[in-house]
Amino acid sequence: MVTTGSAPDFDERQFEALYHEHFGFLVAVAVQKFHVPESDAETLAHEVFLSYLKDPLHVRDLNKWLLGAICHASRYYWRVNKRLSPEAAPEFERIDPATINILESLPNQLAAREALECLSPRYQEILRLRFFEGLSVPELAARLGVKKKYAAKLLTKCLRRAETLYERKGRRRLRR
Amino acid sequence: MSDPRDEERKVVTFERARRRPDPARVQEFAETARRLQRERQESVDVVARALRETPREEWPRLATRPELRNSGALNRMEAEVSARLEKEPQEALLISDLAASIAETLPPDSYPPVVLAQLRAHAWKDRGQALAYIGRYPAALEALDRAEQQLSYGSLTHDRAIVRYVRALTLQKVNRFEESRELLAECAAVFRDHGDDRRYLYCGIGEGIQLYREREFERAYDTFLPLIEVARALADPLSEARIQNNLGYCAVEQGDFRMANIHLSQAMARFIDAGKRMEAIRTERASGRLLVGKGAITDGLQRLRDARRSFLMHAMVEEAGLCGLDIVEALLAQSPDEAKSLAAEVAGEFTQSGFNERALTALAWLRESLDRNRATALSVRQVQSYIASLASNPALEFTAP
């Protein structure tokens, strides 16, 4: 078991378990608290893990150490990025339309992907075409070879089915 | 009552936070971890043996030995430097030079860049620390610059704070107090955030010492006081002893002799708990001198007499003699006869232990001055400092002040 407060005496599987156990949390902190882009956040988390290896036996509280490290790494990330490209500074002030409500929309996108996984392949395909490829209902109808009215009906049915299955999946998780 | 939907949302949010790491990175981490662990284990005796079996002047040549060119050996060198700083700073410097030269010449692909940066930064940090110990402050600051230059990764904030802590202490030595204080505050925050309570404590002690040097005794006292609990939580009696000692000094400077006595007694008790009996006795002597200097003659003399008795019990004749001269100085005005008799006692102890003849000459001169009532506090101190200097310069002739 790796979820201990103190630094463990490692074997190889524990190294991997440690990485898996904390990776998601570290990336989530960097992304959600400090708005570090996801791919950079993953790199920061990786570097935090590597830097931890210098002196693991002197880390008294692993969770606290990792959290402190990712928070400081995220702050440093923005300090360095702003300093490296002065012309980019105004960019930080300007709101990129693509990132408006990203904190709200990103979880929704992730949830949508998860919901899609609950559906049959055909329903998955319909929702993917509509919401990920951005096809309009007439375009979707043309792609599916059905009438526009039926395509709209089919779309509503897919969404309801996805919602039902997604909620059921959440309840199962709660029971566990 | 909470809404089950909220709970569900929490679970979903938590699940969303889960991400799968890149398997290649997991593998790199596991391989690096395994390798560093193996190198640490393999280097336990290698460095100590190499240093022991090689004449000191040939230590730089060790940089080419393959068994020393790895992270484990560099970690051991870091420990060797740390162990020698107080007693053998020149050796500490040589070892840190060796470590820096190895770290700098490791191939760029020998470790992941973050790990390599740490190895190099710590080697340079050690060199900076060793240079500071021998008083080469500008060179020390340059070495610390080199250390910081290595740490260009966000994930290395903790390492950066370790380097900056050393820099802060070095800056104190060259009276750059303001910069030092800023750095200590910054480092303390980093250590606190990482749960590194020990280094957080050291930053607090460093900050308190600096305030004391700046004669900000009240602020220094307030800085030291909460650190006692931190030291206790860490079960670190040595740090607690030092904090209590410093609190005692602050209290003396503020004229609060009652609190000073409490803190200094606590300091001695903690030094004894930590197995540092000599430190405890030296603390008693220093606090006695301080109290006498501040006019608390009775308290001060009591501490000096206790310290002298303890030194004699441990057959530490020189320190007992020097402490005796502290008492002679304090007694000059109020009890000259006692001062004379104590000076004779010290001379007798020195003679009996076969002490350096030159010390006896200086003591004879002092006794003569005391007999003629011409001795002053300054002349006692000059004799005392001359006797103390014989330890490092035994051939130094005594010249009557």
Side-chain angles (χ1 to χ4, degrees), chain B residues 90-109:
Chain B
Q90 289 289 356
E91 284 193 359
L93 180 59
L94 284 172
I95 299 168
S96 69
D97 280 347
L98 172 64
S101 104
I102 291 172
E104 282 293 328
T105 52
L106 286 173
D109 57 352

Side-chain angles (χ1 to χ4, degrees), chain B residues 336-355:
Chain B
D337 288 342
E338 206 183 331
K340 282 176 206 168
S341 130
L342 184 55
E345 208 176 299
V346 171
E349 288 158 10
F350 277 15
T351 310
Q352 214 170 20
S353 65
F355 211 74

